[in-house]
Amino acid sequence: MQWRLGGYQEAAPAAATSTFSIMASEREDFSLSGPMHLTNVDWKNAHHRRSAVASLVRGVRILERDRQVKRRGSQALAPPWWKFFHFQLHRQLVDDEDSSIFGAIYEFKPPESHYQNSVDERPCYVIAFRGTIIKPGSMLRDLELDMSIIINRLHEKSRFETAIQAVRNVVAKVGESNVWLAGHSMGAATALLAGKTMAKTGIFLQTFLFNPPFISAPIEWIKDKRVKHGLRIASSVTTAGLALATEKNSRNSRSVDPFATLSAWIPFLFVNQGDPFCAEYIGYFKHRKKMYDIGIGAIERLATKNALVSLLMTAMGMESEPLHLIPSANLIVNLSYLTPCQEAHWISQWWRPDLPVKSKQYTY
């Protein structure tokens, strides 16, 4: 039998009575579900780079699962997810509220036999953040942080403070060109906010965001293109109008456009068109270009950097910067529809060797 895993087929467990927990355990085993085909990573190759970084992010999740189920020593499943690519675990990032592991700092330590020209393209350190884990030991805190992402308050959470301080420390130690950021789902939101925070100070870190959450109505899922385009135009006009009114009433109006300041930072966004959590990024960037093409780019220029939730919170006296909105990006779209939609959100899809993707760079 075959069962579906992250968009490709893996051998099913031998026992017909295998439970979901056993299947979940197999997904955590690198030898069963990791990109074993990458025996020699070429860091100049987009697929190799994407697969390796996604595996490091996966390693953070397995670190936390090892902690939760008390897998230690030879029983731990996390180490192969980074050791296979010649990384060492430099430090775990631990949440001070529930003691869960939410991130990791990896250091690249290849053997001399693996030094080659492509090594010049690799990072010295990768700081990776996991997504939400709906398991005892992390669930309540993770769901709290998911909610903070929806209302754009992640920057106030102690977990993000731990994350951004770790990023600053590593950058100060080895320089910005030697540090990469990465994350999946909630972890992608953390990496995105960290990247934006550093970019505001003129430090642009290479950043890999897998299935980053886009807080919006799922307009991209509408099949009728005219209805979809009409809704986007209406949304842009409404958002731009509210943004203009808010700016006029604000005492903190800025002469410098902070969105333009961020435009030189171009993170990699990996989204699946079948994933309701991140698919809206596709329409977000496409619509921006269409608005300029039809001659109403001024409206979209105002709308693209604002979100209705943030504007309403600002109007109520609660300063709120939309986390998910960014001026520029390398958008990589997985063109295969994975069913159920839960699988379209799995990080394992991103190391599939025959993955059909479409890439485009958008700049502000």
Side-chain angles (χ1 to χ4, degrees):
M1 287 181 65
Q2 298 288 305
W3 61 286
R4 194 165 180 80
L5 172 60
Y8 61 96
Q9 300 295 315
E10 289 285 357
T17 58
S18 58
T19 63
F20 177 79
S21 62
I22 294 176
M23 295 171 68
S25 178
E26 292 206 353
R27 289 197 298 272
E28 295 170 356
D29 190 327
F30 183 85
S31 66
L32 296 175
S33 61
M36 296 288 290
H37 60 282
L38 290 180
T39 55
N40 187 21
V41 176
D42 179 0
W43 289 98
K44 295 179 181 178
N45 182 292
H47 166 64
H48 288 198
R49 190 168 57 242
R50 180 184 71 233
S51 299
V53 175
S55 295
L56 296 179
V57 175
R58 180 67 167 172
V60 182
R61 181 184 179 88
I62 312 306
L63 265 174
E64 171 57 15
R65 290 293 296 135
D66 281 348
R67 183 191 74 88
Q68 291 178 357
V69 300
K70 297 179 172 58
R71 291 189 299 240
R72 302 185 180 93
S74 62
Q75 299 300 313
L77 295 178
W81 290 92
W82 58 81
K83 289 184 176 181
F84 186 82
F85 301 100
H86 306 294
F87 281 88
Q88 292 181 0
L89 180 60
H90 180 72
R91 178 190 165 194
Q92 299 176 0
L93 300 180
V94 178
D95 191 298
D96 60 4
E97 293 282 338
D98 65 356
S99 299
S100 64
I101 301 167
F102 71 89
I105 303 174
Y106 299 107
E107 183 178 5
F108 188 53
K109 290 282 191 178
E112 291 185 9
S113 60
H114 281 71
Y115 272 98
Q116 51 184 294
N117 292 334
S118 68
V119 171
D120 295 333
E121 303 290 328
R122 90 291 184 266
C124 288
Y125 289 86
V126 175
I127 306 175
F129 307 99
R130 65 165 175 82
T132 303
I133 298 180
I134 308 298
K135 299 285 185 180
S138 61
M139 179 174 65
L140 294 179
R141 177 62 167 165
D142 282 3
L143 292 178
E144 175 194 343
L145 290 163
D146 286 338
M147 183 57 64
S148 74
I149 292 170
I150 294 174
I151 61 174
N152 297 311
R153 315 306 290 180
L154 181 62
H155 62 284
E156 297 176 346
K157 300 299 181 179
S158 61
R159 180 180 291 188
F160 177 70
E161 286 300 320
T162 300
I164 192 61
Q165 192 57 54
V167 172
R168 288 172 176 148
N169 290 344
V170 177
V171 169
K173 176 183 177 182
V174 300
E176 63 185 274
S177 63
N178 294 310
V179 180
W180 290 5
L181 299 179
H184 172 247
S185 192
M186 175 180 66
T190 303
L192 172 57
L193 183 56
K196 287 178 72 172
T197 302
M198 299 301 288
K200 289 176 182 177
T201 66
I203 296 174
F204 305 111
L205 301 177
Q206 180 131 258
T207 305
F208 299 80
L209 308 172
F210 299 95
N211 302 82
F214 191 103
I215 310 305
S216 171
I219 299 177
E220 188 62 25
W221 275 29
I222 297 174
K223 301 301 181 183
D224 191 308
K225 292 184 178 181
R226 289 177 298 178
V227 173
K228 184 191 299 186
H229 190 45
L231 285 173
R232 290 199 186 283
I233 291 177
S235 176
S236 291
V237 171
T238 302
T239 302
L242 186 55
L244 191 60
T246 303
E247 284 184 4
K248 286 183 177 180
N249 293 328
S250 175
R251 297 178 181 178
N252 298 320
S253 296
R254 302 170 182 173
S255 57
V256 178
D257 181 1
F259 218 57
T261 303
L262 290 173
S263 62
W265 177 57
I266 310 178
F268 291 90
L269 269 64
F270 301 93
V271 306
N272 187 307
Q273 57 188 353
D275 181 3
F277 294 101
C278 66
E280 198 57 29
Y281 269 113
I282 301 171
Y284 171 70
F285 285 108
K286 280 185 177 179
H287 175 66
R288 194 167 75 184
K289 184 179 184 302
K290 286 182 179 178
M291 292 288 277
Y292 277 94
D293 291 343
I294 63 178
I296 50 177
I299 292 176
E300 186 58 24
R301 193 172 183 84
L302 192 56
T304 196
K305 57 186 176 183
N306 289 283
L308 286 175
V309 172
S310 295
L311 289 170
L312 291 172
M313 292 184 69
T314 299
M316 292 186 292
M318 296 181 287
E319 195 68 27
S320 177
E321 178 184 345
L323 165 63
H324 59 288
L325 302 185
I326 50 178
S328 306
N330 285 299
L331 185 67
I332 297 93
V333 180
N334 181 351
L335 300 177
S336 61
Y337 279 101
L338 303 178
T339 53
C341 66
Q342 178 188 11
E343 293 187 27
H345 193 66
W346 286 358
I347 195 171
S348 53
Q349 66 188 287
W350 297 111
W351 56 73
R352 174 179 160 182
D354 57 344
L355 187 69
V357 298
K358 181 178 181 181
S359 304
K360 186 169 183 178
Q361 185 177 105
Y362 293 91
T363 54
Y364 182 67

